[in-house]
Every structure is written in structure tokens, then in C-alpha cells.
Amino acid sequence: MKTHFCTNIRLSRRKASFFLVLILQLVACPLWGQELQKKALTVEDYSKWGNLRLGKVNVNGQWISYTMSYENGLDTLFVKNTKSLQTFSFPSANREDFITPEWFVCQSPTALHLRNLKTGKQEIIPHAGQYLYSPAARRLLILIEEKGKENTLILRQLDGRIEKEIVGVNEFIADPAKQMILYTTTKNKLHEISFMELTGEKRNKKLLSGSASFTNLVWHSKGKALAFIEKAEDKNDFINTLFYYNMNNSRLYSPNPLEFRKSFLGDSLFVPTTSYKLKISDDLQKVFFAVQQKAKSKKQLPSDVQLWNGNAKWIYPMEEKQNKKTNLALWRPSADIYQFISNDTLPKFMLTGDQNYALISNPKQYEPQYDYEGKRDFYLVDLSTGKSSLLLKNHSGHFSHTIPSPEGKYIAYFKEENWWVYNIANKTHTNITKNIGSPFASDENQHQHKNNYPDLGWTLLDKEILLCDAYDIWSIRPDGSSARRLTHGKETKTQFRLAGYSIKPVSKINYSGRIHDPMDLNKGLLLESTNIEGHFGYYKWLPKSMKTLIFTNNSRLDQLTASAMGNVFVYSEERYDLAPRLMLYNRLGKESKVLFQSNSHQQNFHWGRSELIHYKNAKGDSLQGLLYYPSHYDSQKKYPMIVYIYEKLSQDLLHKYINPSQFSGDAGFNISNFSTQGYFVLAADISYELGNPGLSAVDCVVSATKEVISKGVILPNKIGLTGHSFGGYETFFIITQTNIFAAALAGSGAT
């Protein structure tokens, strides 16, 4: 991969002459000039290493933010100009944002930092607990929380001119368009809740006031309504009150308190303020809220006594963790009607995209079970009638296996190694992947059941769903009538996926499930590619073309982030012997350059390298592993080796840089710690025969170990074995079947 550097050095003649002599000495004595400058890594040096996180790119790609974080907690946020490389630093800061092309804001534990990137001028605003920038109003809102004083919400311009101050503000929340805020205040024990327009006439309207406080503030998805809860004045009374305000008719609604308490909640239920956020339906007709059982008084027992019930489906610690029975209910403000959605028999719930139906289930239904989210029956509840019907029998409880569509027309689900779609209106189930001729179930974890490759969500108007097979991305109609392969990776065994953590589709929490924002394929997709040989690439996919942006065959690419204008891309690049660095790719210049190199002090220490090795097990399956060389490797010597195992590691670790550390590593095992202490480390892949994981692990691990022994670089009688969790189980099993390992260590072995 080509990397372009720009370095300007000016020296006086005398300094230049000295520099030339020094260069000649270094050339003549390479050991004195290079080897002796490096030193062996010690435990005391580990704290020098930090982790690099790319933050944001401003709209025109001229500025980026990134953070270096350290195990001692002394983290620093940086802002860098992508052309001049001018850099500003903000110790211990986070929550950064480029609020305009020229203005940057971030928050530290003690203050808000506002920097004009054009002039370099900085303003530090102490005691800032929360901030918000409204692009529509071009105003900054800052909540000042100074100890011993009342909170003050400040509405101001970026240059510092204050336009409004509201004293006594407890919290505030903006509508999705950031054109209005809903906020609460307390003055002389009088609580108020109001909303204020940030644009136009900046209208300020008080909604309610009283001796009780307000919480759980929410907005409608398009800012057409808001809702909140008034807390009960008496903590023992439990009667928290719902409120809903409709912007269209400027009316505030609340349930009839007597009816709500008597006919709906009874004596055993109450509306909690913290379990779940209120939610307003898209059609403005429903408000969803949580209902919880009041805690029963427990018999006084000594603190070290636990009562375990042998008939309980979950063990005592899990039962205690889940002991708060919370269900979902809805309120129709215009008619003042309430109804339960979930219940104690079917306590888990999620909504469809249009909030007209709900999916409810019981995670304890099929016992014993070994998944964290066990299989269960799913029932579909029609919220207009309250009637429920069985949708899925004995179906996986994992959130990625049941995907409601954003428009509410369909429910996609993964079952029997295929993707199915349920049409809610037609009440039909369709297997949409069975006739494609490509498997959509992964066999990577071959000792378990096959799992799905990623789902990427739905396109606009629920027209198609985007799904992945082993290599490619498919766009499939929900009735299965057509399936388009958007990429062509199968032919070269190259895997394509959506690129960059900041540009993947938004997956919103949908109670116990997830729901994606729809994607517009006409705007294109940013994709990343990988293959088993360690080639990484980024691409711009459009309906009629796919262009290569960046490609490398000897390093790992990650964290791709694009400017809003789409002309500048920033990403990280790393290799086992190259600490992560930030790279900039400009589509106009079509070349990459280094913006920042993390952990540059590594060059002062001896460091190892890694290589991909290939081997076969007894069945003839072609496998691969990663072999890490000792940091001060001498081909005339032989070294001890540690074999590290956990299913298939080569793709996860290929070209990955690993900070030395006593506190972190891959599943608790730090490869760099050992490679810098004179060990070879082998990360070996394992291919399983279903139902026979132990002997499969023995076969593959011993085969990989013998492949390295044949290279003549290690001491055959000095080989260790280690694994964590399932790798711990494999470690325990392997040492009962072979004497090839001199020592073994299992961490949290699943035995």
C-alpha cells in the first residue's frame, strides 16, 4: 500500500555537516546505530501504550477528532487539521462534535470547550453538565450545574452572546429536528415542565406546574407530540401520572386518575419512571409505557442466607437479577383507553415498525436451554383488538433472528438455516432464501448450530431486505420473487460487508428487539472487503457500479469514516508490527497519507512479527493459523512456543496490532507480552466435526503444532497450550490425548 509523507527540515550548514557525519557513522556501523538503540520491553513499559479511537470528521473533511486512551485513565482527545496537521488537545474530554465547519465542541469532567477552528480561539465554560447545538436556530444550549447554586440553562450564540437564561432547569431534551426543547424547572419547591421553540419567535409554553417533579421526557419521532411522567409526591403511593401533549391541537392529556388506578393498575401495579422510556406511536394515537409489580415484603433472613427453589427454571442469581416483573402497556390519550400488551406468562416484548402490532414471548419456556436468550414461542398481538395469535413455534430468542421492518409490513426471521418473511396483512410465511443457491447460515462455530450471517436491514418502504451470505450482500424482495446479488465476492472468496462503525445502518433498541432505519440504495453504500489471505479494501457501491477507494494486501483497515460531502475518508491502518495510524484518503487526489501514528515509541523496542501459516488436519481440511515470532528473533536459535486456541482465530487476529498489557488481551491472553519475552506464539484454527469438538480440537491443534515444529525454529519439548472459555474446555481435553505440550493453562474453561 502506498503511503505518502511530507517532511520539511531546515538545517544550518554547521548542523547539516554534523548530520552528514552522523549518517555516515550509522551506515558504517549498523549494529551501533540501530540494534543498540532498541531495548527489550519490560512490564514497566506497558503503560506507555494507548488505544487509538477515530472520532468524527467535519462536513468538508478538513478536520478530524480522535482519542488516545490509556489504562491509567489519562486519556486525551485531539482535533487535527487534515491539510496543515495543526492539532489541538483536550485532556480527559469526550462527547465531541463539529457543530459547524468552523466550530468544534467537547466536554471534559469540569467544563465545556468551544474552539473556533478558523481563528484558534478557545472558550472554556466551567460547570457545563449538558450541551446541545441547534443547527436550525444556530444556537448553543448549555446547562450550567455549579455546586451550591441553581442550575441555569443558557441559550447563546457561538460567539458568546447570551440570548436567554432559564434558572432552575433540571433536565432538557430536544425534538429530533433540534428545533424545540422540552425542559423541567424547580423554583421554591414548585416544579414546572415547559417547551420552548428555538427558531422563529422562540415561543415558550408552560405545560404543567405543581409540587411533584417530572421525568421520562420524550418526543414524537417527528416532533409532533411529547410525553412525560409526573412523579408521585408520596413515595409510598406509587401513583406516577402519564401526560401527553399533541402539538397539532395544543392539548394536554392525562388518564382519568380514579379509573386508571382502580380498573387498570389495581393495588399491585404501578407505572415506574426508569424501567423503559415512554414511546409515542408514529400515528400519534398511542403512548407506550411500562407497568411493574410492587415489591412484596420479604421475610427477614440473615444476610448470608439464600432460598433456592428446585422447581425454578433459572438459578437463583439469575432469578434475582430478573425479579422485577415489568410489562408493556399502551394508553390511547384521545379516548383515554388503556390496555396491557405483555403479561407475566409472556413478559418479553417488541413492537413492529408502525407500532400497530407487538411480539411477545417467554424466555423460560423451553428448559433446560443453553443459550443466553433461550428458544420460545412468539405471539403476534394486534393492538387494535388486543387479540394475539401464535407466530413462531420454538424460535430463537436472539434479537438478530427476528427483525421487524421499519414500515411495519413484515417480520423477517432466521430459522432452519434460512431467512423467512411473515407478511402481516396476508398472514403468510415465505422462505425467501431457499432457492437462491447460496447458504445464508454460517458454519464458523461448527460445534454448535449454524447461525446467520449479518442482516443489514430494509430498504425504503420495506421494498427489499439486505442480507449477507458468506461472501456477498443480497437485496431480496419480501415475497421472495427476486433476489439481487449486489457484490461479487464468491468468485474470489472475498467477503463484502458494510464499512465503518459510523456509517452502518442505525439499529434502534426496540424493547427486547432491534429495528433498523431504512436504507436508500440510490445513495450508494460504503463497503469493506476481506479475504483469508489478509487483503483489506474499501469500496463505493452504486446501483450500476462499484469503485475501489482503498486496497492493501499487508495491513488491516478499520474505522472508516466519511465526510458529509463524501469527498474525504479517514480510516485506521495497522499490522502486528505497525501500531494503528490514522490515514486520509481524498477522492480528488486519489492517494492516502498519514495523519497520526499512535504508539510511535514502539520503534525504541524490539518487536516481533507475524505470518500466516497453512496446514492440514487428519481429514485433509486446509486450515491456517498465525505464527508470531519473538521480538529479538535469531534464526540460529530455537525458542519455546505457546499455542493459543479458540475456534478460528486467524481472521480475527490477522494483521491486528496488540498492545502489551497486564490487563487486556485476546480473551485474557496477551500475545505481545509473550512474543516480547522470547516466545513464539501460535494461534491455530480448529475445524470441528459436529458433535465431536474435543477430538476435532486435538486433531487440528496437534497438526498445526507439528507444522511449526517442522520449520525447525522452536524447541519441541518447550511448547505450552492455553485457551479461555470454550478454548479452556479444549485445553483441558487436548492434554488428556497428547503429550506434545509441556504445560497447559485454561481460563474459565467450560467444563
Side-chain angles (χ1 to χ4, degrees):
M1 180 177 180
K2 292 184 178 179
T3 304
H4 299 264
F5 299 89
C6 180
T7 305
N8 295 312
I9 301 176
R10 295 182 179 179
L11 300 169
S12 67
R13 288 187 177 183
R14 180 174 295 180
K15 288 183 177 179
S17 299
F18 172 79
F19 192 72
L20 178 60
V21 172
L22 179 60
I23 288 292
L24 292 174
Q25 289 177 331
L26 292 177
V27 172
C29 304
L31 288 177
W32 178 76
Q34 297 176 24
E35 283 295 311
L36 295 184
Q37 286 185 354
K38 293 183 181 291
K39 54 185 179 180
L41 191 67
T42 66
V43 173
E44 287 71 26
D45 297 314
Y46 292 176
S47 61
K48 299 173 182 176
W49 266 258
N51 292 304
L52 171 64
R53 178 189 65 82
L54 174 60
K56 297 184 178 182
V57 179
N58 80 333
V59 62
N60 55 24
Q62 292 183 0
W63 293 88
I64 66 166
S65 67
Y66 59 93
T67 299
M68 285 297 299
S69 58
Y70 297 86
E71 291 178 342
N72 59 12
L74 299 178
D75 305 344
T76 302
L77 171 68
F78 297 92
V79 177
K80 185 182 287 287
N81 187 289
T82 57
K83 292 183 179 180
S84 68
L85 303 186
Q86 180 185 17
T87 305
F88 302 111
S89 62
F90 305 88
S92 302
N94 54 26
R95 291 199 65 226
E96 76 271 24
D97 198 9
F98 295 99
I99 55 179
T100 74
E102 295 181 356
W103 286 92
F104 174 81
V105 64
C106 64
Q107 200 162 9
S108 69
T110 58
L112 189 73
H113 301 259
L114 190 62
R115 172 82 67 166
N116 187 309
L117 300 173
K118 187 175 182 179
T119 65
K121 182 181 178 181
Q122 177 176 252
E123 181 183 1
I124 299 176
I125 305 165
H127 313 297
Q130 183 183 350
Y131 79 89
L132 168 76
Y133 179 71
S134 169
R138 297 182 181 180
R139 297 296 183 268
L140 187 65
L141 285 82
I142 307 170
L143 183 62
I144 303 299
E145 300 175 344
E146 188 173 357
K147 189 175 182 180
K149 296 183 179 180
E150 289 185 295
N151 293 352
T152 301
L153 180 64
I154 298 173
L155 176 65
R156 51 164 280 176
Q157 296 183 11
L158 291 173
D159 63 9
R161 284 179 289 176
I162 295 175
E163 297 183 347
K164 192 177 185 67
E165 291 187 356
I166 306 174
V167 178
V169 173
N170 301 307
E171 61 176 312
F172 71 95
I173 182 173
D175 74 308
K178 296 182 180 179
Q179 296 182 351
M180 298 177 285
I181 62 165
L182 177 64
Y183 66 96
T184 65
T185 58
T186 302
K187 299 175 184 177
N188 300 321
K189 297 183 180 181
L190 178 67
H191 300 277
E192 293 183 356
I193 184 164
S194 310
F195 77 85
M196 180 173 65
E197 296 175 347
L198 302 177
T199 57
E201 298 178 358
K202 298 183 177 61
R203 184 166 58 106
N204 195 7
K205 180 177 177 61
K206 181 172 70 175
L207 297 175
L208 201 63
S209 64
S211 55
S213 61
F214 306 97
T215 188
N216 209 323
L217 283 56
V218 295
W219 282 94
H220 177 257
S221 60
K222 294 185 178 179
K224 295 180 179 180
L226 56 87
F228 56 91
I229 292 177
E230 183 182 34
K231 288 185 178 181
E233 290 189 65
D234 183 355
K235 293 182 179 180
N236 297 318
D237 188 37
F238 289 100
I239 301 304
N240 301 315
T241 306
L242 298 169
F243 285 91
Y244 168 80
Y245 182 81
N246 190 316
M247 293 288 182
N248 294 331
N249 60 13
S250 301
R251 182 178 172 184
L252 183 66
Y253 299 83
S254 65
N256 181 302
L258 294 178
E259 285 296 316
F260 188 62
R261 182 171 188 169
K262 183 178 179 180
S263 64
F264 188 72
L265 295 178
D267 295 327
S268 61
L269 302 175
F270 73 102
V271 177
T273 59
T274 57
S275 296
Y276 292 98
K277 293 291 290 183
L278 299 176
K279 182 178 178 62
I280 303 170
S281 64
D282 291 347
D283 62 8
L284 301 172
Q285 300 302 308
K286 300 179 284 291
V287 176
F288 298 93
F289 62 99
V291 176
Q292 193 169 297
Q293 284 191 356
K294 297 177 183 178
K296 296 180 179 179
S297 58
K298 296 182 179 180
K299 295 181 179 179
Q300 294 296 319
L301 295 171
S303 60
D304 58 345
V305 173
Q306 297 178 353
L307 291 179
W308 288 52
N309 186 339
N311 294 322
K313 291 190 174 183
W314 287 351
I315 62 173
Y316 179 87
M318 183 63 78
E319 289 282 1
E320 284 294 292
K321 185 179 179 181
Q322 305 286 344
N323 64 355
K324 291 184 178 179
K325 293 183 178 179
T326 304
N327 289 309
L328 186 67
L330 70 81
W331 168 45
R332 300 180 189 273
S334 59
D336 198 20
I337 296 174
Y338 343 99
Q339 70 185 71
F340 288 105
I341 297 174
S342 65
N343 52 59
D344 292 346
T345 304
L346 298 165
K348 290 288 185 177
F349 45 86
M350 70 176 87
L351 299 173
T352 56
D354 58 2
Q355 304 94 42
N356 287 329
Y357 292 83
L359 282 162
I360 57 176
S361 62
N362 182 0
K364 296 183 181 181
Q365 185 167 2
Y366 294 99
E367 296 287 338
Q369 47 87 7
Y370 309 99
D371 293 323
Y372 190 79
E373 290 289 347
K375 289 187 175 182
R376 75 283 299 264
D377 296 344
F378 282 84
Y379 291 83
L380 186 66
V381 183
D382 184 342
L383 300 183
S384 64
T385 64
K387 294 182 178 179
S388 64
S389 58
L390 180 64
L391 176 70
L392 297 169
K393 185 79 173 174
N394 196 18
H395 181 57
S396 166
H398 196 277
F399 67 85
S400 70
H401 292 172
T402 307
I403 311 294
S405 67
E407 294 290 321
K409 299 175 184 176
Y410 310 103
I411 299 169
Y413 58 95
F414 182 77
K415 192 169 187 175
E416 297 171 353
E417 301 181 12
N418 277 283
W419 280 99
W420 300 67
V421 171
Y422 178 73
N423 185 311
I424 296 176
N426 298 338
K427 299 182 180 180
T428 56
H429 295 261
T430 304
N431 186 331
I432 62 171
T433 56
K434 68 176 181 179
N435 296 323
I436 289 178
S438 181
F440 284 79
S442 168
D443 61 355
E444 286 297 302
N445 298 330
Q446 297 159 316
H447 59 281
Q448 301 175 356
H449 51 76
K450 291 185 178 181
N451 209 340
N452 63 301
Y453 291 106
D455 66 280
L456 306 181
W458 296 78
T459 63
L460 296 174
L461 302 177
D462 292 354
K463 185 177 180 181
E464 293 175 305
I465 184 171
L466 299 184
L467 302 171
C468 295
D469 66 12
Y471 299 108
D472 292 306
I473 298 173
W474 293 77
S475 188
I476 307 172
R477 286 189 178 274
D479 61 359
S481 60
S482 71
R484 299 183 293 143
R485 189 161 63 122
L486 304 185
T487 58
H488 294 84
K490 182 179 180 180
E491 290 77 3
T492 57
K493 294 187 177 180
T494 300
Q495 184 182 84
F496 287 93
R497 296 292 185 259
L498 288 182
Y501 63 81
S502 65
I503 50 178
K504 290 180 179 177
V506 177
S507 178
K508 297 177 181 176
I509 295 176
N510 181 19
Y511 298 113
S512 61
R514 298 288 188 274
I515 193 163
H516 297 297
D517 280 349
M519 288 184 287
D520 185 354
L521 291 184
N522 291 323
K523 293 182 179 179
L525 302 171
L526 284 175
L527 305 179
E528 63 184 21
S529 72
T530 57
N531 68 14
I532 61 173
E533 296 299 325
H535 301 170
F536 286 75
Y538 288 128
Y539 304 83
K540 176 67 175 182
W541 179 92
L542 292 167
K544 294 184 179 180
S545 67
M546 187 164 75
K547 296 181 179 179
T548 303
L549 301 176
I550 305 144
F551 182 82
T552 175
N553 58 11
N554 65 351
S555 58
R556 174 184 288 262
L557 308 180
D558 199 6
Q559 302 189 74
L560 180 70
T561 303
S563 65
M565 295 174 63
N567 60 323
V568 172
F569 301 89
V570 182
Y571 59 96
S572 66
E573 180 188 22
E574 65 186 276
R575 198 173 52 240
Y576 179 65
D577 56 356
L578 173 68
R581 59 186 185 181
L582 294 181
M583 307 291 293
L584 178 138
Y585 172 79
N586 191 317
R587 295 186 71 177
L588 300 177
K590 294 185 177 180
E591 56 185 34
S592 295
K593 74 172 185 178
V594 179
L595 294 177
F596 171 72
Q597 174 66 65
S598 74
N599 302 309
S600 57
H601 54 268
Q602 180 204 304
Q603 63 185 340
N604 301 324
F605 298 91
H606 295 298
W607 199 264
R609 62 182 176 87
S610 67
E611 69 177 24
L612 195 64
I613 67 165
H614 301 273
Y615 59 98
K616 292 185 177 181
N617 62 8
K619 293 165 48 178
D621 297 331
S622 295
L623 298 168
Q624 59 187 26
L626 284 171
L627 182 63
Y628 297 83
Y629 280 69
S631 59
H632 201 176
Y633 174 66
D634 183 347
S635 61
Q636 302 302 312
K637 296 180 180 180
K638 292 187 177 182
Y639 297 84
M641 182 173 76
I642 298 172
V643 181
Y644 168 55
I645 56 174
Y646 185 89
E647 298 176 0
K648 293 186 177 179
L649 292 167
S650 63
Q651 282 300 293
D652 290 338
L653 295 176
L654 188 59
H655 300 320
K656 182 178 180 181
Y657 186 81
I658 302 169
N659 287 353
S661 169
Q662 289 187 290
F663 307 102
S664 66
D666 192 73
F669 177 73
N670 192 290
I671 292 171
S672 293
N673 288 6
F674 288 91
S675 69
T676 55
Q677 292 178 29
Y679 290 86
F680 272 92
V681 177
L682 170 63
D685 282 356
I686 301 171
S687 178
Y688 299 93
E689 177 185 336
L690 192 61
N692 200 11
L695 291 176
S696 297
V698 175
D699 177 17
C700 297
V701 173
V702 172
S703 297
T705 305
K706 288 182 177 179
E707 174 65 26
V708 179
I709 291 174
S710 70
K711 294 177 178 290
V713 296
I714 67 169
L715 298 166
N717 63 335
K718 299 290 184 182
I719 304 174
L721 177 67
T722 188
H724 184 86
S725 189
F726 191 74
Y729 154 75
E730 293 171 324
T731 298
F732 283 134
F733 189 95
I734 289 171
I735 60 174
T736 69
Q737 307 295 311
T738 177
N739 293 322
I740 198 172
F741 300 106
L745 175 65
S748 300
T751 55

